[in-house]
């Protein structure tokens, strides 16, 4: 579905190669130190399972069937390209059908696939130096990217980025690595303990993409704008009156805005829950958690260069930071009202997930899901 007469609309291999070539070098780490970092991250990821499950009361005694992969920056990019390829397959098929009848489609398709592959690689090279960890949900399992028994799901820990941040913050390395693992393990627990969550999120994203009615050239132009911003420092604000918009916002239809609102609410819940768990478990197992949290929050708020801040907005990363804050406030408020078991009703079905409005009004979610009942926890 992603090829047209032997060509692909996105040259995925070129995207991986470009991201690997352009990714910034990580911090200087000797071979023995690197091995020690990888081993410790694996130990902390394993230890985090028990801590997270005990705190969240999610999941049974069964072992996770999703692997932990400690990767470098190119490895993170490769895993995400595989995820993009899977989730974008229906959209690319739709766009190729529209392109098929146009003169020179095969030639333009081959050229466009390479151009888009390079541009996607540029964007991933930017992001690859910023992500500490990720639960990658959608890419099918392969020999290079093993996944869960159901064909997908893997926990990625980006070792060079973790080392770089712990050095920048000047915090205890072992404590920081465990702190990061607690957050990412919460995501792994969310998806392993709530079997319907992955398919629900995939369905929402596929519905969002199905509503896309954008000419292929226009969509590729959006990606090109983001890639060029890396070089020129110019974003949408330079062309459209001063307000920078994310790529997602630039291609939305009215129907997509409604769908995106639901997706954003789910992501806010997932990210906020992970932050809440990380802070809840932290004082028991991470000795310097207060120092780490304070310095990390300062780092988030401080940001970086103008180019970095502009790209955050263009790529929608500012929205992700808001998800952490809004979601954590929601989880904290609900747990205070109805306890952890009461909060866990959010995982019962798609109908019990908070709506976009309820993320900002936790009492409304409690009233809808619990009625007049209040669960202790």
């Amino acid at each position: 579905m992603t090829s047209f007469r032997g060509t692909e609309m996105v040259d995925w291999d070129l995207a991986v190669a470009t991201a690997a070539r352009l990714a910034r070098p990580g911090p200087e780490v000797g071979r023995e130190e690197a091995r020690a970092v990888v081993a410790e991250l694996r130990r902390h990821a394993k230890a985090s399972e028990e801590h997270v499950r005990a705190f969240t009361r999610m999941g049974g005694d069964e072992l996770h069937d999703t692997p932990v992969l400690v990767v470098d920056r190119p490895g993170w990019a490769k895993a995400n390209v595989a995820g993009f390829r899977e989730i974008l397959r229906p959209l690319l098929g739709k766009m190729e059908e529209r392109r098929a009848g146009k003169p020179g489609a095969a030639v333009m398709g081959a050229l466009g696939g390479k151009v888009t592959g390079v541009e996607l690689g540029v964007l991933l090279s930017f992001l690859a130096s910023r992500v500490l960890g990720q639960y990658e949900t959608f890419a099918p399992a392969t020999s290079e990217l093993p996944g869960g028994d159901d064909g997908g799901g893997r926990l990625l820990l980006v070792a060079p980025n973790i080392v770089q941040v712990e050095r920048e913050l000047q915090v205890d390395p072992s404590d920081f690595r465990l702190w990061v693992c607690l957050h990412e393990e919460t995501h792994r627990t969310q998806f392993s303990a709530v079997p319907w969550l992955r398919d629900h999120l995939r369905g929402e994203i596929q519905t969002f993409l199905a509503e896309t009615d954008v000419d292929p050239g226009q969509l590729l132009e959006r990606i090109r704008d983001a890639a060029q911003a890396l070089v020129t420092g110019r974003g949408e604000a330079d062309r459209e009156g001063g307000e920078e918009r994310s790529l997602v916002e630039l291609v939305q239809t009215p129907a997509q805005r409604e769908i995106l609102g639901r997706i954003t609410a789910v992501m806010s819940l997932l990210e906020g829950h992970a932050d809440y768990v990380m802070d809840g478990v932290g004082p028991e197992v991470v000795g310097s958690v207060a120092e780490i949290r304070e310095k990390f929050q300062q780092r988030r708020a401080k940001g970086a260069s103008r180019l970095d801040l502009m790209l955050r907005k263009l790529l929608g990363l500012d929205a992700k930071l808001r998800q952490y804050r809004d979601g954590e406030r929601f989880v904290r408020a609900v747990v205070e009202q109805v306890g952890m078991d009461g909060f866990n009703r959010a995982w019962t079905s798609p109908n019990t997930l908070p709506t976009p409005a309820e993320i900002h009004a936790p009492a409304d979610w409690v009233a809808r899901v619990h009625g007049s009942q209040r669960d202790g926890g």
Side-chain angles (χ1 to χ4, degrees), residues 46-375:
K46 180 64 178 176
S48 295
E49 290 185 33
E50 182 178 349
H51 296 314
V52 169
R53 287 187 174 209
F55 185 81
T56 63
R57 305 181 189 178
M58 295 176 67
D61 295 329
E62 73 281 359
L63 296 176
H64 279 303
D65 69 347
T66 52
V68 175
L69 306 181
V70 181
V71 298
D72 57 10
R73 291 168 178 176
W76 176 86
K78 186 172 186 177
N80 276 267
V81 165
F84 290 152
R85 187 173 190 170
E86 180 68 18
I87 204 69
L88 292 176
R89 195 179 298 272
L91 173 62
L92 296 181
K94 177 180 177 181
M95 293 173 67
E96 285 169 2
E97 289 178 2
R98 296 184 60 174
R99 186 182 68 180
K102 296 183 179 181
V107 174
M108 293 302 296
L111 178 61
K114 292 190 178 300
V115 170
T116 308
V118 169
E119 291 165 346
L120 177 59
V122 170
L123 296 179
L124 287 172
S125 72
F126 169 80
L127 295 172
S129 64
R130 285 155 173 77
V131 178
L132 300 182
Q134 173 189 1
Y135 186 81
E136 201 291 311
T137 314
F138 299 116
T142 66
S143 58
E144 292 184 326
L145 286 172
D149 291 341
D150 62 352
R154 57 197 57 78
L155 180 61
L156 307 175
L157 297 171
V158 191
N161 295 349
I162 293 172
V163 172
Q164 179 171 309
V165 173
E166 70 192 26
R167 289 180 179 179
E168 289 177 357
L169 299 181
Q170 297 182 329
V171 294
D172 180 88
S174 184
D175 280 1
F176 184 74
R177 294 165 195 174
L178 177 55
W179 189 71
V180 171
C181 286
L182 289 171
H183 181 102
E184 303 307 333
E185 176 59 36
T186 302
H187 289 317
R188 189 161 69 138
T189 297
Q190 290 163 346
F191 281 93
S192 62
V194 187
W196 54 264
L197 183 59
R198 177 176 176 235
D199 288 340
H200 171 72
L201 194 56
R202 179 195 290 271
E204 289 281 60
I205 294 172
Q206 297 290 10
T207 303
F208 177 89
L209 296 175
E211 291 289 334
T212 299
D213 188 21
V214 178
D215 181 83
Q218 292 177 337
L219 183 58
L220 299 184
E221 182 181 355
R222 300 303 188 188
I223 298 176
R224 187 171 298 113
D225 287 342
Q228 288 176 345
L230 286 168
V231 179
T232 65
R234 296 176 67 250
E236 286 294 322
D238 296 314
R239 297 192 307 168
E240 300 191 12
E243 182 179 357
E244 293 168 338
R245 295 180 291 164
S246 74
L247 283 175
V248 172
E249 293 170 325
L250 290 168
V251 298
Q252 279 183 56
T253 65
Q256 284 177 308
R257 292 190 185 95
E258 181 177 348
I259 299 167
L260 187 63
R262 297 197 300 267
I263 294 174
T264 300
V266 174
M267 297 308 298
S268 296
L269 176 69
L270 297 178
E271 296 293 357
H273 183 232
D275 261 15
Y276 178 81
V277 172
M278 183 169 58
D279 287 347
V281 175
E284 299 295 327
V285 298
V286 182
S288 58
V289 65
E291 177 191 3
I292 290 173
R293 185 62 165 165
E294 180 181 1
K295 289 184 175 180
F296 195 77
Q297 290 287 54
Q298 290 174 353
R299 182 179 183 271
R300 274 184 181 173
K302 182 179 179 181
S305 66
R306 177 183 180 277
L307 175 60
D308 189 70
L309 294 173
M310 181 275 296
L311 282 168
R312 283 188 188 180
K313 292 183 178 180
L314 187 61
L315 299 175
L317 301 184
D318 274 1
K320 186 173 180 63
L321 294 179
R322 289 194 296 272
Q323 288 171 7
Y324 286 105
R325 295 192 296 268
D326 296 343
E328 196 275 341
R329 292 191 196 104
F330 172 85
V331 175
R332 185 174 300 279
V334 170
V335 172
E336 287 176 355
Q337 291 184 64
V338 295
M340 185 62 75
D341 290 335
F343 164 78
N344 282 341
R345 287 198 186 179
W347 312 116
T348 303
S349 75
N351 292 331
T352 55
L353 291 171
T355 66
E358 287 169 346
I359 284 289
H360 302 283
D364 292 349
W365 180 87
V366 172
R368 177 172 69 86
V369 173
H370 290 268
S372 59
Q373 181 181 357
R374 296 293 182 269
D375 295 340

